[in-house]
Amino acid sequence: MQVIENEVGNTRYIVFSKEALANGPMKDARVRRAISMALNRDQMLDSAYGLPELKKLGINPSYNWDTFIPHSHKGYWLDPKTEMSPANAAYHKFNPTEAMKLMEAAGFKDGFSMEWHWTRGYAGAYQVQGELIPQFLKAIKVDFKSVIDDYASVFIPQTFVGKFNGAALISYKIGRAHV
């Protein structure tokens, strides 16, 4: 087997609709931070990319958590584990107990629900994350109700450009691959 280093940054974001940011729970930064803290990023990487299986083969992958700038963009990306200020890094760490405290402080002790838009038009890790994210959010009583958008007729012309209600999983790549 040949292992090829890939410097293409494929990032996925939980994006909120304009309406959700203006009038809904997402208006409160504590709710957005709680959602971030409810995500077990290492488990998501394990599930999406089969990292435990690679380790069994003697390949030791890194667990880089993307931020707005993907980890492949060295010099621009800040590693939430080692380079961010402790205050900002705390919102990237898996901590559902503290996340629930933020939800309560924001007035959402009983949680809320919203649409969760994603598509079957992407393969692999995107699919896994589309399914995992709502499961993690249940710990803080956020119910993402999956709406599977048709890739060609709905996701690209509407969801991807911000025409949706609730939240969406948006993926894009920047950079280039080296072989």
Side-chain angles (χ1 to χ4, degrees), residues 12 23 38 55 69 75 112 139 169 172:
R12 288 171 201 89
N23 301 313
K55 287 180 183 177
I69 305 292
F112 59 88
L169 183 60
Y172 73 90

Side-chain angles (χ1 to χ4, degrees), residues 62-128:
S62 58
Y63 283 72
N64 293 316
W65 299 345
D66 284 327
T67 58
F68 185 74
I69 305 292
H71 72 273
S72 60
H73 284 52
K74 307 290 185 226
Y76 299 97
W77 170 69
L78 290 178
D79 185 346
K81 298 177 189 176
T82 61
E83 297 175 322
M84 281 188 175
S85 70
N88 288 328
Y91 301 124
H92 284 82
K93 292 180 182 165
F94 178 59
N95 192 340
T97 302
E98 289 301 313
M100 196 61 220
K101 289 179 185 176
L102 285 173
M103 291 290 288
E104 290 174 13
F108 294 98
K109 176 181 146 188
D110 296 325
F112 59 88
S113 65
M114 66 175 20
E115 291 181 0
W116 172 234
H117 292 265
W118 55 292
T119 182
R120 298 274 184 214
Y122 298 119
Y126 177 93
Q127 296 293 319
V128 173

Side-chain angles (χ1 to χ4, degrees), residues 14 35 38-50 94 116 118 120 124-139 142 144 146 169:
I14 298 173
I35 286 173
L39 301 176
N40 185 331
R41 289 169 171 82
D42 285 338
Q43 186 176 346
M44 288 171 65
L45 289 169
D46 281 344
S47 298
Y49 297 104
F94 178 59
W116 172 234
W118 55 292
R120 298 274 184 214
Y126 177 93
Q127 296 293 319
V128 173
Q129 291 178 348
E131 293 173 1
L132 276 179
I133 288 169
Q135 293 176 36
F136 285 121
L137 298 184
K138 287 179 183 177
V142 173
F144 269 13
S146 284
L169 183 60

